[in-house]
């Protein structure tokens, strides 16, 4: 597996464009299973999770071809109903084929996603929602086996102990689009990726209202068409780059970064001392790298995203004063603390919070990325650490970031990839 070698860098300067959002494209690829007609999706990021979803679709008899950023999905020979363990275990988002398969095929056999490094991540809300629409569900030999003789609209509550669920909202919205009658999803997730999925479904001919709010109304239709759709920009990639510039200093314009998707991030980075300007279709970030402590709590959208928690912790590690970071979505998502501490950070965990005492400077060290977003946090820490940092576990980064090291290198970061075996 490759390694990244990161040297102290900065200031970062220039203009970069963000890719399409990984967390928008994955459920949209699953939504293509609701139609017999081809769909074309553009602005698709070349990340491993997209390739895994392509394999899942192919396993169901659906063609999936990616050329540049354009993904063509052709359901010509679509007869399958199984998403196997080997693929679901690589990526939990595979579970979003469950709703479309049930609605279109009347049956689905999807491997139970296991726990993962960021916490327990149950799927009870997905199952509750689909059962409310009339699906029978049993768990057998590690598989969710679901069937229905016809889904019917219903009133569904999707609030859980940690708030609403992004992919459960998507799963139920997709299934309800082909169900008979009206479905009301209450306590729906409001994330921009849910809105992007709804917009794709609308282009397919679905009848959905209220997306982006806590209550979504879906009136089922008999069939859905293939559709063309451009994926929204990745707010997490944009946020990661914004935090990088705030930490390393510089002046960077991030094309595609949408202020309306990044309000809480803009607010906290401004409070920490960076300056963020809203341009037409872009955000400009300027910083001298001298930051001060802030308090951050991750929350469902429009709150501060959990997918930027690790990167924000790297920033807090070098900000003057004591920062407090509370994780309300995944209370166990703290694997990066020990790696950051190996680089000289002073972070202690207290339950679902981390107390981060800012230090003058981090020290480069060999570190291992425990998960996708932590990989980005360690790269950002490496950019402001003395000497050099060697990052292992780069495959995690490749699941969700398209060429992050190249994007940063274009801005002047000193990062090299060392090929191994
Ligand atoms: N939850 C339940 N029951 C369920 C589903 C979720 O209790 O049936 C809990 C989760 O354990 C968590 C909370 O509800 O505590 C929210 O989880 P959610 O279901 O919203 O997460 P998800 O839909 O599985 C998506 C993203 C994650 C992102 C979360 C939260 C995709 C493919 N994944 O996951 O992205 O962290 O929403 O915003 O969209 C990432 O990209 O690094 C990543 C982990």
């Amino acid at each position: 597996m490759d390694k990244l070698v990161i040297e102290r860098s900065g200031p970062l300067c220039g203009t970069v464009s963000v890719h399409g959002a990984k967390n928008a494209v994955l459920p949209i690829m699953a939504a293509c299973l609701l139609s017999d007609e081809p769909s074309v999706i553009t602005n698709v990021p070349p990340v491993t999770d997209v390739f895994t979803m392509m394999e899942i679709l192919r396993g169901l008899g659906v063609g999936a071809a990616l050329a540049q950023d354009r993904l063509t999905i052709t359901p010509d020979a679509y007869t399958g109903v199984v998403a196997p363990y080997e693929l679901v275990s690589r990526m939990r988002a595979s579970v979003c084929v469950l709703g479309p398969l049930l609605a279109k095929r009347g049956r689905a056999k999807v491997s139970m996603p296991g726990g993962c490094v960021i916490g327990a991540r149950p799927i009870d809300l997905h199952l509750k929602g689909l059962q409310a629409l009339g699906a029978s569900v049993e768990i057998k030999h590690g598989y969710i086996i679901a069937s229905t003789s016809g889904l019917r609209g219903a009133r569904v509550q999707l609030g859980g102990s940690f708030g609403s669920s992004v992919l459960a909202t998507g799963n139920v919205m997709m299934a309800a689009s082909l169900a008979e009658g009206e479905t009301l999803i209450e306590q729906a997730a409001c994330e921009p990726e849910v809105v992007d999925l709804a917009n794709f479904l609308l282009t397919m001919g679905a009848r959905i209202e209220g997306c982006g709010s806590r209550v979504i109304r879906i009136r089922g239709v008999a069939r859905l068409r293939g559709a063309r759709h451009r994926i929204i920009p990745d707010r997490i990639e944009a946020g990661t780059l914004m935090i990088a510039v705030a930490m390393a200093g510089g002046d960077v314009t991030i094309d595609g970064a949408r202020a309306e998707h990044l309000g809480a991030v803009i607010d906290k980075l401004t409070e920490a001392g960076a300056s963020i300007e809203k341009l037409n279709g872009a955000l400009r970030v300027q910083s001298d790298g001298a930051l001060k402590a802030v308090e951050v709590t991750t929350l469902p959208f429009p709150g501060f995203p959990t997918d930027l928690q690790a990167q924000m912790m790297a920033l807090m590690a070098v900000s003057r004063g004591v920062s407090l970071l509370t994780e309300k979505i995944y209370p166990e998502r703290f694997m990066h603390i020990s790696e950051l501490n190996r680089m000289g950070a002073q972070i202690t965990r207290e339950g679902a919070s981390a107390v981060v005492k800012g230090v003058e400077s981090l020290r480069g060290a060999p570190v291992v990325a425990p998960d996708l977003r932590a990989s980005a946090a360690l790269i950002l820490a490496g950019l402001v650490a003395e000497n050099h940092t060697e990052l292992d576990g780069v495959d995690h980064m490749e699941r969700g970031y398209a060429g992050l090291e190249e994007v940063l290198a274009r801005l002047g970061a000193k990062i090299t990839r060392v090929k191994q075996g």
Side-chain angles (χ1 to χ4, degrees):
M1 208 195 302
D2 295 354
K3 258 188 195 179
L4 292 184
V5 178
I6 306 135
E7 286 174 58
R8 183 175 222 155
S9 311
L12 303 178
C13 293
T15 299
V16 279
S17 296
V18 286
H19 294 85
K22 171 201 71 116
N23 288 348
V25 75
L26 297 174
I28 285 175
M29 289 170 75
C32 294
L33 296 171
L34 291 164
S35 177
D36 298 319
E37 297 174 12
S39 289
V40 177
I41 309 167
T42 54
N43 205 26
V44 174
V47 295
T48 323
D49 278 5
V50 166
F51 303 141
T52 303
M53 189 56 104
M54 288 169 70
E55 278 189 61
I56 290 183
L57 295 183
R58 288 183 188 134
L60 296 165
V62 174
L66 183 65
Q68 310 280 356
D69 72 341
R70 182 189 169 95
L71 178 64
T72 306
I73 295 185
T74 36
D76 296 345
Y78 164 32
T79 50
V81 293
V82 182
Y85 173 74
E86 194 266 316
L87 295 173
V88 179
S89 61
R90 276 195 235 160
M91 180 184 77
R92 292 181 51 87
S94 324
V95 77
C96 52
V97 299
L98 188 57
L101 284 176
L102 254 178
K104 185 73 181 155
R105 293 271 164 263
R107 275 181 323 127
K109 182 175 171 192
V110 177
S111 174
M112 271 293 275
C116 76
V117 75
I118 68 175
R121 301 188 75 184
I123 55 155
D124 56 311
L125 296 171
H126 297 246
L127 303 185
K128 176 185 171 190
L130 296 172
Q131 281 168 325
L133 297 183
S136 318
V137 179
E138 55 175 340
I139 311 287
K140 244 191 194 165
H141 310 300
Y143 275 81
I144 307 156
I145 301 176
S147 62
T148 179
S149 53
L151 298 177
R152 281 173 309 281
R155 199 183 187 111
V156 184
Q157 285 282 341
L158 285 185
S161 328
F162 296 99
S164 50
S165 162
V166 174
L167 291 180
T169 302
N171 239 332
V172 175
M173 193 162 66
M174 289 189 275
S177 293
L178 282 184
E180 198 186 313
E182 183 173 299
T183 297
L184 210 57
I185 305 180
E186 293 176 336
Q187 299 191 61
C190 306
E191 270 66 8
E193 294 76 17
V194 176
V195 177
D196 207 32
L197 171 62
N199 285 335
F200 180 69
L201 292 168
L202 285 170
T203 317
M204 292 178 94
R207 295 170 67 200
I208 303 173
E209 286 165 22
C211 218
S213 77
R214 305 289 285 151
V215 180
I216 303 177
R217 183 188 300 273
I218 305 136
R219 292 188 186 85
V221 295
R223 61 178 290 279
L224 292 168
R225 303 181 288 273
R228 285 177 176 268
H229 181 78
R230 184 174 172 81
I231 297 293
I232 53 167
D234 195 316
R235 64 191 169 107
I236 304 303
E237 183 190 15
T240 301
L241 294 170
M242 289 164 74
I243 297 172
V245 182
M247 290 171 71
D251 183 350
V252 171
T253 298
I254 305 173
D255 266 338
R258 289 195 186 168
E260 69 273 24
H261 291 174
L262 286 156
V265 180
I266 294 173
D267 185 50
K268 284 298 161 185
L269 291 182
T270 307
E271 195 183 324
S275 147
I276 294 157
E277 192 185 342
K278 294 171 199 170
L279 306 175
N280 194 9
L283 289 174
R284 179 179 179 191
V285 187
Q286 290 169 284
S287 167
D288 60 7
L291 302 169
K292 60 175 193 293
V294 284
E295 266 188 37
V296 171
T297 300
T298 66
L299 289 168
F301 187 81
F304 194 94
T306 174
D307 294 342
L308 287 173
Q309 182 255 102
Q311 301 87 317
M312 198 64 188
M313 195 183 293
L315 177 143
M316 291 170 167
V318 289
S319 300
R320 192 165 27 86
V322 179
S323 295
L324 182 67
L325 204 165
T326 302
E327 175 57 69
K328 292 266 189 172
I329 311 289
Y330 299 116
E332 298 299 323
R333 194 177 205 177
F334 284 126
M335 301 291 285
H336 37 281
I337 292 182
S338 52
E339 294 303 294
L340 288 171
N341 281 348
R342 295 187 60 250
M343 297 177 71
Q346 289 191 18
I347 308 170
T348 46
R349 181 177 165 187
E350 305 206 351
S353 295
V355 180
V356 188
K357 208 164 144 202
V359 295
E360 251 336 279
S361 182
L362 296 172
R363 295 182 300 274
V367 286
V368 182
D371 66 65
L372 165 59
R373 304 304 171 187
S375 70
L378 294 168
I379 292 174
L380 303 196
L383 293 179
V384 295
E386 289 162 10
N387 303 319
H388 67 271
T389 298
E390 276 182 31
L391 177 70
D392 237 318
V394 171
D395 52 325
H396 286 296
M397 177 187 82
E398 290 164 350
R399 286 190 53 188
Y401 286 104
L404 181 59
E405 85 263 25
E406 286 148 24
V407 174
L408 286 166
R410 245 176 277 142
L411 298 173
K414 293 178 217 146
I415 307 184
T416 42
R417 182 178 278 253
V418 181
K419 296 253 174 228
Q420 298 192 121

